[in-house]
């Protein structure tokens, strides 16, 4: 049986108990202090901006244009870090698992934040819970083209031919599960037609095959196809955005062609890991929006086929959540799947 302690012993023991509690509280406070201190003095060192695709691609060009403008305007230093792999998942996962100190950001887009959530059997990150949306940069529509000598001169011509001979018309894209592929799958549902998908591993071979007449239709981004359209090798029939492209003002949208509300675009935005300090989010969002109003940067992005759309972090988060649902339905209906 334990011996009862005297009052003196209890008085001596009590400060030790209090000390342990105080030590625990102090440890928690100290653990939080570095993050708070970093947030207060941010940025005190270069910011890593991960691009989840190879150098030279569309996402990389957008990232470098935006980071260059932020460097000159806000006097922040960026290190662009290309981490391609797994359809953009590798780069996004790198940031999702990084410290939320404001020094690790990423350029995300429709495929790796909205489509891949359903397309892949298992993602290493949760696009909603593991990331902090900061700001939208802009969005780019797709354009549906046919060879210059094609008999199809409008989207209505394509629909009529597809209904007359279901499955006999081929459409090419740069791969399964891309925005181009799923935009066309979405349109097939809207129009009640059946086309046959011919996926390529990149844009160039698909373009050559449609120019050569081996494939009847091709769907891709405006910058990818613009040169071939202007040279007269390809004929554009419809844009997948809600408004016409400044580069192709004569080309109607799918919505204008009788499918009200149709929209399928690739958007780009800046994100950080979850639990990013609010003042970091607000600072980056504010400077990003200022940069996007610059005529110089706007022209560069518009030359890449982007419709520049600055906004709040909350609006960007709402877009991501809405598009996960939207594209999830299309992925499931198409049967596209990557393990």
């Amino acid at each position: 049986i334990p011996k009862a302690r005297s009052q003196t012993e209890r008085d001596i023991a009590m400060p030790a108990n209090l000390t342990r509690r105080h030590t625990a509280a102090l440890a928690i406070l100290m653990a939080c202090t570095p993050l708070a201190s970093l947030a207060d003095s941010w940025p005190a060192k270069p910011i890593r901006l991960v691009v989840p695709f190879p150098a030279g691609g569309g996402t990389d060009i957008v990232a470098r244009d935006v980071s260059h403008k932020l460097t000159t305007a806000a006097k922040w230093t960026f290190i662009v870090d290309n981490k391609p792999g797994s359809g953009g998942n590798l780069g996004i996962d790198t940031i999702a698992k990084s410290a939320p100190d404001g020094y690790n950001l990423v350029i995300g887009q429709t495929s790796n934040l909205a489509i891949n959530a359903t397309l892949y059997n298992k993602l290493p990150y949760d696009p909603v819970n593991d990331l902090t949306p900061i700001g939208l940069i802009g969005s780019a529509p797709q354009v549906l083209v046919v060879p210059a000598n094609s008999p199809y001169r409008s989207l209505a011509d394509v629909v009529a031919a597809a209904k007359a001979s279901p499955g006999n018309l081929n459409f090419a894209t740069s791969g399964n599960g891309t925005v181009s592929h799923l935009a066309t799958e979405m349109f097939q549902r809207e129009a009640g037609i059946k086309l046959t998908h011919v996926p390529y591993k990149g844009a160039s071979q698909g373009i050559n095959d449609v120019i050569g007449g081996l494939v009847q239709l091709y769907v891709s981004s405006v910058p990818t196809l613009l040169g071939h359209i202007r040279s007269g090798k390809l004929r554009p029939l419809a844009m997948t955005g809600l408004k016409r492209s400044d580069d192709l003002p004569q080309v109607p949208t799918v919505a204008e062609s009788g499918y009200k509300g149709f929209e399928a675009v690739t958007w780009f935005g800046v994100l950080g890991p979850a639990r990013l300090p609010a003042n970091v989010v607000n600072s980056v969002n504010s400077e990003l929006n200022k940069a996007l109003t610059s005529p110089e940067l706007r022209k560069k992005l518009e030359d890449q086929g982007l419709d520049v759309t600055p906004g709040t972090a909350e609006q960007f988060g709402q877009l991501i959540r809405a598009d996960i649902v939207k594209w999830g339905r299309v992925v499931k209906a198409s049967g596209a799947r990557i393990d």
Side-chain angles (χ1 to χ4, degrees):
I1 300 174
K3 181 181 177 182
R5 293 185 297 177
S6 66
Q7 180 63 44
T8 301
E9 289 173 323
R10 288 196 299 273
D11 290 342
I12 292 172
M14 193 173 295
N17 291 337
L18 286 172
T19 300
R20 281 194 294 273
R21 286 196 295 273
H22 291 160
T23 300
L26 183 60
I28 293 171
L29 181 61
M30 290 178 69
C32 297
T33 298
L35 188 58
S37 298
L38 282 170
D40 291 341
S41 60
W42 185 91
K45 61 180 182 179
I47 303 162
R48 178 174 67 152
L49 181 63
V50 167
V51 176
F53 295 101
T59 306
D60 180 69
I61 293 171
V62 170
R64 292 179 188 276
D65 285 343
V66 169
S67 62
H68 177 73
K69 183 60 182 178
L70 288 173
T71 297
T72 57
K75 308 303 180 186
W76 298 343
T77 302
F78 285 89
I79 299 173
V80 177
D81 184 9
N82 294 89
K83 285 194 173 294
S86 189
N89 295 340
L90 179 61
I92 298 290
D93 188 48
T94 297
I95 294 304
K97 291 180 171 57
S98 65
D101 55 13
Y103 296 104
N104 298 282
L105 305 178
V106 67
I107 296 285
Q109 42 104 299
T110 307
S111 64
N112 47 44
L113 294 177
I115 292 174
N116 288 0
T118 307
L119 181 66
Y120 281 76
N121 187 44
K122 185 177 181 181
L123 279 184
Y125 57 89
D126 184 319
V128 173
N129 296 318
D130 293 342
L131 297 162
T132 300
I134 296 175
L136 188 65
I137 295 171
S139 61
Q142 307 291 301
V143 57
L144 185 151
V145 298
V146 296
N149 61 355
S150 170
Y152 311 129
R153 296 192 167 273
S154 68
L155 195 59
D157 289 344
V158 172
V159 172
K163 286 186 175 180
S165 187
N168 281 352
L169 263 68
N170 297 329
F171 75 95
T173 71
S174 58
N176 277 315
T178 59
V179 173
S180 300
H181 170 209
L182 296 175
T184 312
E185 294 287 350
M186 188 190 305
F187 175 68
Q188 291 180 72
R189 289 170 55 201
E190 292 278 337
I193 60 175
K194 176 63 179 175
L195 306 172
T196 298
H197 183 212
V198 182
Y200 287 83
K201 291 185 178 180
S204 59
Q205 186 182 349
I207 293 171
N208 290 335
D209 283 357
V210 75
I211 290 174
L214 297 177
V215 181
Q216 288 87 19
L217 312 169
Y218 194 84
V219 184
S220 190
S221 65
V222 174
T224 301
L225 299 175
L226 190 58
H228 300 288
I229 293 170
R230 287 176 172 167
S231 70
K233 294 178 181 179
L234 295 174
R235 179 188 304 144
L237 300 185
M239 308 294 305
T240 65
L242 285 178
K243 67 178 186 178
R244 297 192 182 197
S245 167
D246 290 339
D247 291 314
L248 299 168
Q250 78 282 9
V251 182
T253 65
V254 174
E256 288 177 309
S257 302
Y259 303 91
K260 187 176 180 181
F262 185 94
E263 181 185 28
V265 299
T266 298
W267 41 254
F268 301 85
V270 180
L271 305 95
R275 299 177 298 280
L276 202 60
N279 69 323
V280 172
V281 174
N282 293 337
S283 293
V284 179
N285 178 269
S286 176
E287 292 297 335
L288 175 63
N289 287 341
K290 287 179 187 176
L292 293 175
T293 63
S294 157
E296 175 192 8
L297 179 59
R298 288 186 74 93
K299 185 178 187 310
K300 285 184 177 181
L301 295 176
E302 287 168 357
D303 286 346
Q304 292 300 314
L306 263 68
D307 178 19
V308 178
T309 51
T312 67
E314 291 75 17
Q315 289 169 334
F316 186 24
Q318 290 168 5
L319 174 63
I320 294 171
R321 291 190 293 274
D323 267 18
I324 288 174
V325 176
K326 169 185 172 178
W327 288 111
R329 289 195 293 262
V330 179
V331 171
K332 290 175 181 176
S334 73
R337 198 74 175 164
I338 298 177
D339 294 324

